[in-house]
Amino acid sequence: MTTLKLNREFLVRHLFALVVFAALGGWFGFDAFVRYPRTPAAALYESIEKAPPPADMGQAKLDAFKAQKTKTQFVLAIVTLGAALLVALHLLSVAGFKFAFDDDGFVLRGKRFAWGDVKNVDESLWEKKSVLRISGDGWGATLDAWHHVGVKELRERLKSKSL
């Protein structure tokens, strides 16, 4: 039985993106919750703008500057950690997809199907994206060759079965 396996390149790229988003989220979060609140407003202005605050700026404007920059770091932390979560969930979803096939049929989501159970094979996205959709009575699956190794072999098997 041939089992679809997670494409290593897909995994590595997504893990890299996950690490980058998580690291950025941690960095922004550290600034928002630790560094910026501990730094005096004038010093924060100078560290960000690379120049001392103008003499006419006043403490109220410096405090507003600090509050705005702290809020920006908080928002960036939420966005990048949210992106990390989305990448992780997508990766888990793809990794959790189980599909295996042999000469007699295939196993999808733990259920055995015969090749004759396939009523429709949609190859409209194959040339552009290497995506194959198969379906039958009450079931369907989208198989992406970028996500899984073995989809090309499955496509050839489907062709040989003349569905």
Side-chain angles (χ1 to χ4, degrees), residues 21-22 24-30 32-33 70-86:
F21 284 136
L24 286 171
W27 184 323
F28 294 137
F30 179 79
F33 293 106
T70 301
K71 182 179 179 182
T72 298
Q73 293 301 99
F74 175 74
V75 169
L76 289 170
I78 296 297
V79 168
T80 52
L81 290 173
L85 178 62
L86 289 175

Coordinates of all heavy atoms in Angstrom, one line a residue, residues 21-22 24-30 32-33 70-86:
F21 N 7.6 33.9 12.2 CA 6.4 34.6 12.8 C 6.4 34.5 14.3 O 6.1 35.5 15.0 CB 5.1 34.0 12.2 CG 4.7 34.4 10.8 CD1 4.3 33.5 9.9 CD2 4.9 35.7 10.4 CE1 4.0 33.8 8.6 CE2 4.6 36.1 9.1 CZ 4.1 35.2 8.2
A22 N 6.7 33.4 14.8 CA 6.7 33.3 16.3 C 7.8 34.1 16.9 O 7.6 34.8 17.9 CB 6.9 31.8 16.7
L24 N 9.2 36.9 15.6 CA 8.8 38.3 15.5 C 7.7 38.6 16.5 O 7.7 39.7 17.2 CB 8.2 38.6 14.1 CG 9.3 38.7 13.0 CD1 8.7 38.8 11.6 CD2 10.2 39.9 13.2
G25 N 6.7 37.7 16.7 CA 5.7 37.9 17.7 C 6.3 38.0 19.1 O 5.8 38.9 19.9
G26 N 7.2 37.2 19.4 CA 7.9 37.3 20.7 C 8.6 38.6 20.9 O 8.6 39.3 21.9
W27 N 9.3 39.0 19.8 CA 10.1 40.3 19.8 C 9.1 41.5 20.1 O 9.3 42.3 20.9 CB 10.8 40.4 18.5 CG 11.7 41.7 18.5 CD1 11.5 42.9 18.9 CD2 13.0 41.7 17.8 NE1 12.5 43.7 18.6 CE2 13.5 43.0 17.9 CE3 13.7 40.8 17.1 CZ2 14.7 43.4 17.4 CZ3 15.0 41.2 16.6 CH2 15.4 42.5 16.7
F28 N 8.1 41.5 19.2 CA 7.1 42.6 19.4 C 6.4 42.6 20.7 O 6.2 43.6 21.4 CB 6.0 42.6 18.3 CG 6.6 42.8 16.9 CD1 6.2 42.0 15.8 CD2 7.5 43.8 16.6 CE1 6.7 42.2 14.5 CE2 8.0 44.1 15.3 CZ 7.6 43.2 14.3
G29 N 6.1 41.4 21.2 CA 5.5 41.2 22.5 C 6.4 41.7 23.6 O 5.9 42.4 24.6
F30 N 7.7 41.4 23.6 CA 8.6 41.8 24.6 C 8.7 43.3 24.6 O 8.7 44.0 25.7 CB 10.0 41.2 24.3 CG 11.1 41.7 25.2 CD1 11.2 41.1 26.5 CD2 11.9 42.7 24.9 CE1 12.1 41.5 27.4 CE2 12.9 43.1 25.8 CZ 13.0 42.5 27.1
A32 N 6.3 45.4 23.6 CA 5.0 46.0 24.1 C 4.8 45.8 25.6 O 4.3 46.7 26.2 CB 3.9 45.3 23.3
F33 N 5.3 44.7 26.1 CA 5.0 44.4 27.5 C 6.1 44.6 28.5 O 5.9 44.8 29.7 CB 4.5 42.9 27.7 CG 3.1 42.7 27.0 CD1 3.1 42.0 25.8 CD2 2.0 43.2 27.6 CE1 1.8 41.8 25.2 CE2 0.8 43.0 27.0 CZ 0.7 42.3 25.8
T70 N 3.9 51.7 21.9 CA 3.6 50.5 22.6 C 2.4 49.8 22.1 O 2.4 48.6 21.9 CB 3.4 50.9 24.1 OG1 4.5 51.6 24.6 CG2 3.1 49.6 24.9
K71 N 1.4 50.5 21.7 CA 0.2 49.9 21.1 C 0.5 49.3 19.8 O 0.0 48.2 19.4 CB -0.9 51.0 20.9 CG -2.2 50.4 20.3 CD -3.3 51.5 20.2 CE -4.5 51.0 19.6 NZ -5.5 52.0 19.4
T72 N 1.4 50.0 19.0 CA 1.8 49.4 17.7 C 2.5 48.1 17.9 O 2.2 47.1 17.2 CB 2.7 50.4 16.9 OG1 1.9 51.6 16.7 CG2 3.2 49.8 15.6
Q73 N 3.4 48.0 18.9 CA 4.1 46.8 19.1 C 3.2 45.7 19.6 O 3.3 44.5 19.2 CB 5.2 47.0 20.2 CG 6.3 47.9 19.7 CD 7.0 47.4 18.5 OE1 6.8 47.8 17.4 NE2 7.9 46.4 18.7
F74 N 2.1 46.0 20.4 CA 1.1 45.1 20.8 C 0.4 44.5 19.6 O 0.2 43.3 19.5 CB 0.2 45.7 21.8 CG -1.0 44.8 22.2 CD1 -0.8 43.8 23.1 CD2 -2.2 45.0 21.7 CE1 -1.8 42.9 23.4 CE2 -3.3 44.2 22.1 CZ -3.1 43.2 22.9
V75 N 0.0 45.4 18.7 CA -0.8 45.0 17.5 C 0.1 44.1 16.6 O -0.4 43.0 16.1 CB -1.3 46.2 16.7 CG1 -1.9 45.8 15.4 CG2 -2.4 46.9 17.5
L76 N 1.3 44.5 16.4 CA 2.3 43.6 15.6 C 2.5 42.3 16.3 O 2.6 41.3 15.6 CB 3.6 44.4 15.4 CG 3.6 45.6 14.5 CD1 4.9 46.3 14.6 CD2 3.3 45.2 13.1
A77 N 2.5 42.2 17.6 CA 2.7 40.9 18.3 C 1.5 40.1 18.0 O 1.6 38.9 17.7 CB 2.9 41.1 19.8
I78 N 0.3 40.6 18.1 CA -1.0 39.9 17.9 C -1.0 39.3 16.5 O -1.3 38.2 16.2 CB -2.2 40.7 18.2 CG1 -2.3 41.1 19.7 CG2 -3.5 40.0 17.8 CD1 -2.4 39.9 20.6
V79 N -0.7 40.2 15.5 CA -0.8 39.8 14.1 C 0.3 38.7 13.8 O -0.1 37.7 13.1 CB -0.5 41.1 13.2 CG1 -0.3 40.7 11.7 CG2 -1.7 42.0 13.3
T80 N 1.5 38.9 14.2 CA 2.5 37.9 13.9 C 2.3 36.6 14.6 O 2.5 35.5 14.0 CB 3.9 38.4 14.1 OG1 4.1 38.9 15.4 CG2 4.3 39.5 13.1
L81 N 1.9 36.6 15.9 CA 1.6 35.4 16.6 C 0.3 34.7 16.0 O 0.2 33.5 15.9 CB 1.4 35.7 18.1 CG 2.7 36.0 18.8 CD1 2.4 36.4 20.2 CD2 3.7 34.9 18.7
G82 N -0.6 35.5 15.5 CA -1.8 35.0 14.8 C -1.4 34.3 13.5 O -1.9 33.2 13.2
A83 N -0.5 34.9 12.8 CA 0.1 34.3 11.6 C 0.8 33.0 11.9 O 0.6 32.0 11.2 CB 1.0 35.3 10.8
A84 N 1.5 33.0 12.9 CA 2.2 31.7 13.4 C 1.2 30.6 13.7 O 1.4 29.5 13.3 CB 3.1 32.0 14.6
L85 N 0.1 31.0 14.4 CA -0.9 30.1 14.7 C -1.6 29.5 13.4 O -1.8 28.3 13.3 CB -2.0 30.7 15.6 CG -3.1 29.8 16.0 CD1 -2.7 28.6 16.8 CD2 -4.2 30.6 16.8
L86 N -1.9 30.4 12.5 CA -2.5 29.9 11.2 C -1.6 29.0 10.4 O -2.0 28.0 9.9 CB -2.9 31.1 10.3 CG -4.0 32.0 10.8 CD1 -4.2 33.2 10.0 CD2 -5.3 31.2 10.9

